[in-house]
């Protein structure tokens, strides 16, 4: 019964997320399933969790804690202020040359600026940004052709890693579904990301989204795909020094303001003035 109810809720979530994915998707990821392995992934050694939205300090960039991080006692503040000079670098080809092969891109190719978000699917602040601010930014800037949006995965623990693998796999089959699934995973974060049985929650979301049980297993148990996600995270750590999630770049600059529609709009409008069509 619990699974039936969960499926019904997630089915509704997928329906409401459709509008989120209706913006033009540029995407450069290859189409097609590729050679999917059924081998069980060899996870890196466990590390002590460093918080819901902070990378583990002193641990390997590839380390994933085996147990999911518990949710915070209270919801993230809506007007979360990012400290000035909180870290991160923007003078890397990862930002300057975006979009890169493998990026999933929402928006028109003629848009003058790009926003890149590094996010972990188990990060509550990322979920809040996805649910409260991103849809408004999409309507105001992406749908109007003024900005493109790239979502890159920066998993902070094993649930987020498996979710990122699922997203990457889905995106290869259907670029628009990459953003739809991301929206649903953030919407339903409290129902799967902090549960010891998180794989069951991910499988339910996948099935409601149209994947068979066999396809889901291919997506989340593929060693090559796991290493692809972890290598991308390590590259972002080494090149960009991403200090927390979500971490946002807009028009080649680190964004350090409040993650609200008003604060971000002011920053984006200034960048549009500097980068006219």
């Amino acid at each position: 019964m619990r699974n039936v109810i969960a499926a019904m809720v997630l089915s509704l979530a997928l329906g409401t997320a459709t509008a989120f994915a209706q913006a033009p998707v540029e995407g450069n990821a290859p189409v097609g399933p590729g050679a999917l392995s059924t081998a069980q992934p060899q996870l890196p050694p466990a590390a002590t969790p460093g918080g819901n939205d902070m990378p583990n300090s002193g641990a390997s960039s590839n380390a994933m804690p085996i147990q999911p991080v518990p949710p915070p006692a209270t919801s993230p503040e809506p007007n979360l202020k990012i400290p000035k000079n909180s870290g991160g670098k923007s003078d890397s080809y990862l930002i300057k040359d975006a979009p890169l092969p493998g990026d999933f891109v929402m928006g028109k190719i003629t848009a003058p600026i790009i926003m890149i978000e590094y996010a972990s699917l188990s990060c509550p602040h990322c979920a809040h940004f996805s649910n409260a601010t991103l849809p408004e930014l999409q309507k105001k800037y992406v749908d109007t052709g003024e900005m493109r949006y790239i979502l890159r995965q920066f998993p902070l623990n094993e649930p987020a890693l498996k979710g990122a693998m699922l997203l990457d796999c889905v995106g290869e089959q259907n670029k628009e579904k990459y953003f739809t699934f991301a929206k649903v995973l953030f919407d339903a974060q409290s129902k799967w990301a902090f549960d010891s049985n998180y794989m069951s929650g991910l499988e339910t979301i996948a099935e409601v989204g149209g994947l068979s049980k066999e396809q889901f297993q291919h997506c989340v148990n593929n060693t090559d795909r796991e290493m692809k996600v972890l290598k991308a995270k390590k590259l972002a750590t080494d090149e960009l020094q991403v200090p927390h999630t979500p971490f946002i770049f807009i028009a080649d600059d680190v964004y350090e303001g409040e993650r609200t529609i008003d604060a971000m709009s002011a920053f984006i409008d200034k960048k549009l003035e500097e980068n006219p069509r």
Side-chain angles (χ1 to χ4, degrees), residues 1-253:
M1 178 61 70
R2 180 181 177 184
N3 288 339
V4 172
I5 295 173
M8 292 174 64
V9 171
L10 290 168
S11 179
L12 290 173
L14 279 169
T16 58
T18 301
F20 183 85
Q22 285 177 343
V25 177
E26 177 188 324
N28 292 316
V31 178
L36 294 177
S37 168
T38 58
Q40 291 293 328
Q42 300 299 308
L43 288 174
T48 302
N52 287 311
D53 58 358
M54 299 290 291
N56 297 331
S57 59
S60 164
S61 301
N62 289 348
M64 294 285 114
I66 296 302
Q67 294 300 324
V69 177
T74 58
S75 299
E77 289 296 326
N79 297 332
L80 181 67
K81 179 68 176 178
I82 304 303
K84 286 292 183 182
N85 303 316
S86 62
K89 296 168 56 180
S90 61
D91 58 346
S92 166
Y93 74 94
L94 293 176
I95 303 302
K96 302 293 185 182
D97 296 342
L100 302 175
D103 275 336
F104 295 97
V105 189
M106 180 189 294
K108 298 179 180 178
I109 196 171
T110 55
I113 65 173
I114 297 177
M115 181 174 82
I116 302 171
E117 177 190 1
Y118 280 89
S120 173
L121 291 166
S122 62
C123 157
H125 295 304
C126 300
H128 182 269
F129 177 73
S130 173
N131 297 334
T133 306
L134 186 58
E136 295 301 314
L137 291 178
Q138 181 197 334
K139 287 189 289 186
K140 191 172 182 180
Y141 297 105
V142 179
D143 293 349
T144 59
E146 294 185 288
M147 185 173 74
R148 285 181 285 174
Y149 168 65
I150 296 171
L151 174 62
R152 293 176 179 169
Q153 297 302 310
F154 195 87
L156 297 181
N157 55 17
E158 190 183 10
L161 172 61
K162 292 299 184 180
M165 291 169 65
L166 176 61
L167 273 186
D168 183 75
C169 187
V170 166
E172 284 187 355
Q173 312 305 314
N174 185 317
K175 296 169 187 176
E176 291 187 4
K177 277 195 172 184
Y178 176 85
F179 292 100
T180 301
F181 266 69
K183 171 70 172 170
V184 172
L185 287 170
F186 280 131
D187 282 346
Q189 186 186 81
S190 63
K191 296 179 174 63
W192 70 272
F194 312 119
D195 193 325
S196 60
N197 196 23
Y198 58 88
M199 289 294 285
S200 177
L202 282 175
E203 185 173 0
T204 299
I205 292 172
E207 289 180 356
V208 173
L211 273 68
S212 68
K213 182 172 293 190
E214 187 175 67
Q215 287 173 320
F216 171 76
Q217 292 299 328
H218 278 315
C219 288
V220 298
N221 291 327
N222 182 272
T223 306
D224 291 339
R225 191 177 303 282
E226 177 186 331
M227 295 313 300
K228 173 185 175 183
V229 173
L230 290 176
K231 285 178 180 178
K233 180 198 173 185
K234 186 177 187 305
L235 190 60
T237 300
D238 295 344
E239 285 278 329
L240 304 175
Q241 298 177 15
V242 172
H244 55 74
T245 57
F247 200 71
I248 297 171
F249 299 86
I250 300 176
D252 294 347
D253 279 342

Side-chain angles (χ1 to χ4, degrees), residues 110-113 146 269-277:
T110 55
I113 65 173
E146 294 185 288
D269 289 343
K270 182 178 179 181
K271 289 299 181 181
L272 287 171
E273 290 177 3
E274 297 171 356
N275 300 272
R277 287 172 183 260

